[in-house]
Amino acid sequence: MVRRKKDSDSNDNDKRPIHRKQSKKITNDDDEESSTRTPSGTLQVRNKMVRQLLYAKLKRSKSKSKLKERKARQQSDEPREEPKTIEKKRLRDETWVDENDQETLDDISNDELNNYFTRQADSTEPKLLLTSQEGFPTSFTNKFLKELARILPNTTYFQRRHHPIKRIIKKMNKLGYTDLLVVNEDHGKPCTLYISHLPEGPTMKFRLTNARLSKQLRSNRGKSCAKLTVRPEIILNNFNTRIGIRVGRLLAALFPHDPQYKGRHIITFHNQRDFVFFRHHMYLFKNEKKVALQELGPRFTLKLKSIQHGTFDALYGEYEWIHKPKHKMDTERTKFFL
Amino acid sequence: MQHDDVIWSVLNGQFCSYKQQKSKTQIFCSNEYNLTGLCDRRSCPLANSQYATVREEKGILYLYMKVVERSHYPKKQWEKIKLHENYIRALKQINEHLIYWPRFIRHKCKQRLTKLTQYIIRTRRLMLKKTAKQELVPIKKKAERRERRHEEKAFVAANIDRAIENELLERLKKGTYGDTYTFPVNAISMDEEDEEVESDEDEEEKEKEQESEEEIEYVEDFDESDAEDMEDMGDEEELIKSIPSSKKRSLEIEYEPAVEIPVRGAERAGIIYCYATRDSVADDWHVDKLEFKGSSQSQRFLFYDRALRRTSSSTEKLE
């Protein structure tokens, strides 16, 4: 079916054998040209070859007119419209926080991670414990865990065996650990990351996707990442809402204070549309305006699934925030939480 | 009055809703109170006014007893007795309660008790295992697909490398790195000044150099091309004036300031770096070191070092 706009100017009337008729009735006069008009006004050509030719012609004329408009737009002095991105169309969140929102700062100064950020004497350097889920991790997850243990400073990889998490947490409190990281896997690949801040901090569950070992990164040329002996710098990008700030603080509290700038290692948590991308680079300033980055170390993406108050207690813990697709948290394309 | 036989003839002959004939050899009874599970004259709980079973509820075993005296109270028909956790004690309990009862029922009850205790032990063991603890959550294909796509798009939108670079440059500007990095601010103007200064020095030094270089021919043997280089020295004077001053070195390698003399032979070209000092302004310059670097090489070759020269009478010395 060839659809014709009634008001279009670009029709080549001389080539078309059919006259345009204002009436919508199907008349017998059209039969000889093997086409009819349907009640809705569209042209119906029975002959496939003719139909295809007509359609191709229509398309060409359309693209021509578009090109014309485009050129006119470019040459005119009208200001160009900004390209619409999802970030720009993002629904304004009530919880979006400005830089120096007093309420946020007050709340933050009383949260569990405050000890780390104000450098109180009793909170020492962060000490992390990294485990897998119950049982034995598969080979890829194993490698991934060992890499993480090498990159995150002051981390020990602890074999889970069958120990229940609550018992592990008890022991960790005695030994002075500050954070527990648990990586669960599914079908041989790591799929979930739990970060639990120890004294009484929040537990966050993330969905881990696209994990790549340092060997697999092209920029690394097949070498695995060495142990990070230098305190890296941290970048936290785009953590804007209240939840985002909470997540950002937890992630920042995994790393020791006072990065060593001479080491030139940088670890980034970049949040884009609720996905937190983890990257580990080494940088070099070529001049004032250029930096060269080389990616080392593993990379993965996190997506926040739930925030639970207190240490790990899946059944009886108090949840601050859960991502519930069933309750239509996912319906709007432009709505983000972090 | 319970007419068990009548009931049985009806159930057996006509219709019993609990009767299951799934296989050709056995007929099963799906009544919950059935002792053996088979559809039998002795096992049918409906056709026996005196009956007993052992049943399990949430891991606890109970003995159910039905007696003729209560046959007209359907609600109170079954007497429920909790059996002991200990298997042997439970057996004794059954023996006590079912004393004087038909042997068939007693025997079957005890058999059933055995089977159920084994079943309970097995379930307990399974529950402790990893597979039982893991809650199986179904994967929603559509949601998964969507999330993966969202992630890809977010990755493209993020442009992470650029974001990181911008952040680093901002930090550099703010001054978080302090004095670790210093870059030359006005590169071009500095060069012009240097040129002027150096050209004056060049003229002074090159005269001395010529003499010293001629001597070097005797002292060291270097590449063959150098011999040709020396011959071209005369023309170099004019070249030196028009040469731009010292090339910018990369940050890593540090060299002392030296005069550079570009040199070209038949086979290769390069630069001779000349280090010279003098004791005072009125004194003559003397050459301390001469290094050569071919244009395609990355390192410099030291081919004359004043400290190493032989103090023999055949060679003239420069003071």
Side-chain angles (χ1 to χ4, degrees):
Chain A
M1 289 227 316
V2 177
R3 203 179 244 177
R4 292 176 69 198
K5 287 186 207 166
K6 285 188 183 167
D7 299 323
S8 60
D9 296 328
S10 50
N11 291 333
D12 302 322
N13 278 332
D14 46 8
K15 299 213 175 152
R16 282 231 183 81
I18 302 122
H19 297 288
R20 261 200 288 168
K21 287 197 179 170
Q22 294 299 317
S23 63
K24 292 192 179 179
K25 275 192 199 167
I26 304 166
T27 52
N28 289 330
D29 296 335
D30 286 338
D31 278 359
E32 55 198 65
E33 288 97 3
S34 74
S35 70
T36 46
R37 279 217 172 257
T38 59
S40 59
T42 49
L43 197 68
Q44 189 177 37
V45 182
R46 293 294 176 95
N47 186 338
K48 184 168 180 178
M49 288 192 76
V50 174
R51 186 172 64 224
Q52 284 182 338
L53 282 173
L54 283 175
Y55 184 61
K57 204 174 285 181
L58 182 70
K59 266 212 144 175
R60 252 180 280 143
S61 64
K62 265 196 197 170
S63 61
K64 249 196 201 173
S65 59
K66 258 198 176 176
L67 198 66
K68 252 196 218 170
E69 278 175 39
R70 189 156 179 247
K71 279 203 171 164
R73 235 187 303 137
Q74 277 177 348
Q75 282 168 355
S76 75
D77 289 325
E78 281 170 19
R80 274 184 71 189
E81 284 179 31
E82 274 184 36
K84 298 177 200 157
T85 57
I86 293 184
E87 280 79 22
K88 294 203 179 122
K89 291 199 263 177
R90 177 177 176 163
L91 287 178
R92 270 298 118 174
D93 224 340
E94 304 105 35
T95 59
W96 185 282
V97 167
D98 287 324
E99 276 270 311
N100 300 313
D101 187 27
Q102 194 53 44
E103 187 197 330
T104 319
L105 290 173
D106 287 337
D107 281 337
I108 281 175
S109 60
N110 291 327
D111 81 355
E112 305 97 336
L113 295 155
N114 184 42
N115 279 341
Y116 170 86
F117 285 99
T118 54
R119 299 194 195 203
Q120 297 199 349
D122 52 351
S123 80
T124 46
E125 295 273 300
K127 200 171 171 190
L128 314 186
L129 191 79
L130 183 66
T131 33
S132 65
Q133 66 181 17
E134 207 172 278
F136 299 98
T138 48
S139 69
F140 180 79
T141 319
N142 212 359
K143 288 181 197 161
F144 180 68
L145 286 167
K146 289 190 177 156
E147 279 222 3
L148 269 187
R150 266 184 269 156
I151 297 245
L152 301 171
N154 211 0
T155 321
T156 36
Y157 169 48
F158 169 71
Q159 284 185 343
R160 175 83 180 272
R161 305 274 165 80
H162 54 274
H163 304 297
I165 291 190
K166 291 188 194 163
R167 213 185 288 162
I168 297 179
I169 288 180
K170 252 194 208 171
K171 191 131 202 222
M172 283 167 72
N173 276 326
K174 276 191 212 163
L175 295 175
Y177 278 88
T178 51
D179 288 276
L180 170 69
L181 283 91
V182 185
V183 174
N184 282 2
E185 59 177 317
D186 180 46
H187 289 304
K189 295 191 185 152
C191 79
T192 316
L193 173 69
Y194 286 89
I195 303 184
S196 187
H197 188 74
L198 271 197
E200 356 109 322
T203 311
M204 297 201 186
K205 174 178 169 185
F206 295 94
R207 203 189 132 150
L208 228 177
T209 41
N210 274 344
R212 298 261 177 278
L213 303 173
S214 52
K215 260 197 231 182
Q216 294 172 317
L217 298 173
R218 291 230 185 117
S219 60
N220 229 4
R221 288 169 259 113
K223 302 177 191 166
S224 47
C225 184
K227 182 163 170 62
L228 197 63
T229 46
V230 171
R231 292 193 294 270
E233 298 170 48
I234 313 290
I235 288 184
L236 294 162
N237 269 344
N238 290 343
F239 287 94
N240 290 321
T241 59
R242 288 298 296 273
I243 295 177
I245 287 182
R246 203 148 157 72
V247 171
R249 296 190 105 220
L250 184 82
L251 293 172
L254 298 174
F255 296 93
H257 297 290
D258 299 325
Q260 290 170 304
Y261 298 125
K262 292 223 164 173
R264 290 187 282 127
H265 278 264
I266 189 159
I267 289 186
T268 316
F269 292 96
H270 180 102
N271 171 38
Q272 188 83 17
R273 302 183 191 175
D274 279 356
F275 288 99
V276 178
F277 297 98
F278 170 95
R279 296 286 185 272
H280 172 217
H281 291 275
M282 201 156 161
Y283 66 89
L284 176 62
F285 281 109
K286 291 202 165 161
N287 59 35
E288 278 182 332
K289 297 186 183 168
K290 265 200 202 172
V291 198
L293 288 177
Q294 200 210 358
E295 183 160 5
L296 322 164
R299 64 152 82 161
F300 51 90
T301 347
L302 298 174
K303 187 163 194 227
L304 183 68
K305 285 288 162 183
S306 67
I307 304 181
Q308 186 216 320
H309 209 71
T311 52
F312 186 81
D313 191 347
L315 287 176
Y316 303 108
E318 178 197 331
Y319 280 90
E320 294 176 11
W321 185 84
I322 311 182
H323 176 75
K324 283 193 171 163
K326 195 162 62 160
H327 295 278
K328 316 250 163 115
M329 280 176 122
D330 266 347
T331 40
E332 278 160 290
R333 202 184 286 256
T334 46
K335 184 172 167 72
F336 303 114
F337 301 102
L338 284 186
Chain B
M1 305 330 103
Q2 282 294 356
H3 302 288
D4 293 341
D5 291 324
V6 175
I7 294 174
W8 176 245
S9 65
V10 169
L11 292 177
N12 197 22
Q14 293 177 32
F15 179 73
C16 174
S17 65
Y18 297 107
K19 192 184 209 176
Q20 315 273 6
Q21 181 144 37
K22 302 282 171 141
S23 75
K24 287 182 188 166
T25 44
Q26 284 279 19
I27 308 175
F28 294 100
C29 181
S30 60
N31 194 321
E32 319 145 328
Y33 291 95
N34 193 312
L35 194 52
T36 53
L38 309 170
C39 188
D40 222 65
R41 175 72 184 84
R42 292 196 286 181
S43 317
C44 186
L46 305 169
N48 288 302
S49 38
Q50 190 182 43
Y51 199 73
T53 346
V54 175
R55 277 177 73 199
E56 177 257 341
E57 210 177 303
K58 293 186 189 172
I60 307 170
L61 297 162
Y62 299 94
L63 173 67
Y64 288 82
M65 299 197 320
K66 177 173 113 168
V67 168
V68 196
E69 284 78 31
R70 293 196 303 270
S71 59
H72 54 285
Y73 297 117
K75 192 179 165 190
K76 303 181 201 171
Q77 209 165 55
W78 292 97
E79 183 188 349
K80 185 173 166 183
I81 302 164
K82 185 173 167 185
L83 291 173
H84 207 273
E85 276 176 6
N86 186 329
Y87 173 66
I88 297 169
R89 284 211 198 153
L91 281 176
K92 280 194 189 157
Q93 267 180 307
I94 290 180
N95 278 332
E96 281 170 25
H97 286 290
L98 297 184
I99 199 168
Y100 312 129
W101 279 52
R103 209 187 306 142
F104 173 78
I105 292 180
R106 227 186 311 144
H107 180 63
K108 287 295 176 186
C109 276
K110 283 189 264 184
Q111 272 193 338
R112 210 176 152 84
L113 172 75
T114 321
K115 259 283 163 9
L116 285 173
T117 40
Q118 288 171 346
Y119 161 75
I120 286 170
I121 291 168
R122 225 184 316 136
T123 23
R124 281 202 198 117
R125 212 176 277 152
L126 271 177
M127 294 203 87
L128 291 173
K129 273 195 174 180
K130 178 177 105 169
T131 39
K133 268 198 187 171
Q134 284 176 338
E135 190 192 322
L136 292 173
V137 171
I139 299 176
K140 295 186 187 142
K141 268 199 231 169
K142 198 172 189 182
E144 284 286 306
R145 213 192 318 139
R146 239 192 264 149
E147 265 210 28
R148 211 180 304 147
R149 190 94 178 111
H150 284 325
E151 195 190 315
E152 282 170 20
K153 297 257 169 175
F155 177 72
V156 171
N159 212 342
I160 297 173
D161 285 346
R162 195 186 284 171
I164 298 177
E165 286 171 15
N166 287 339
E167 177 69 32
L168 285 170
L169 289 170
E170 257 189 58
R171 287 188 186 180
L172 182 68
K173 268 192 199 164
K174 268 193 205 166
T176 39
Y177 300 125
D179 291 331
T180 335
Y181 303 104
T182 47
F183 300 108
V185 178
N186 295 314
I188 303 165
S189 54
M190 292 283 279
D191 271 0
E192 286 173 2
E193 284 174 31
D194 282 351
E195 266 190 63
E196 291 169 22
V197 172
E198 292 229 67
S199 55
D200 293 329
E201 289 178 3
D202 282 359
E203 285 171 81
E204 285 180 8
E205 287 170 2
K206 80 175 135 61
E207 293 165 351
K208 313 296 172 192
E209 282 147 41
Q210 280 184 333
E211 293 172 81
S212 61
E213 268 138 37
E214 286 167 64
E215 291 187 55
I216 289 155
E217 283 179 71
Y218 308 125
V219 169
E220 298 267 341
D221 61 0
F222 197 54
D223 292 331
E224 290 165 291
S225 56
D226 270 359
E228 291 161 298
D229 294 344
M230 301 309 157
E231 286 161 42
D232 290 333
M233 267 308 131
D235 300 324
E236 297 294 330
E237 293 176 26
E238 286 153 32
L239 270 175
I240 289 166
K241 286 183 201 170
S242 56
I243 295 157
S245 63
S246 58
K247 292 180 191 165
K248 273 247 186 76
R249 313 250 187 287
S250 50
L251 283 171
E252 290 96 86
I253 313 167
E254 269 185 19
Y255 288 107
E256 295 169 331
V259 177
E260 292 173 53
I261 307 157
V263 136
R264 183 188 281 160
E267 281 166 358
R268 67 165 105 146
I271 305 171
I272 292 184
Y273 298 96
C274 172
Y275 298 88
T277 54
R278 60 182 177 183
D279 291 332
S280 66
V281 183
D283 264 339
D284 292 333
W285 289 93
H286 46 242
V287 178
D288 292 323
K289 265 202 289 185
L290 288 172
E291 289 174 354
F292 174 74
K293 175 178 173 294
S295 52
S296 54
Q297 295 167 348
S298 55
Q299 281 188 330
R300 301 181 175 191
F301 285 97
L302 177 73
F303 66 90
Y304 170 71
D305 197 337
R306 188 155 189 262
L308 300 173
R309 69 182 196 273
R310 284 176 283 156
T311 54
S312 54
S313 54
S314 57
T315 57
E316 284 178 79
K317 285 180 235 170
L318 270 180
E319 299 265 68

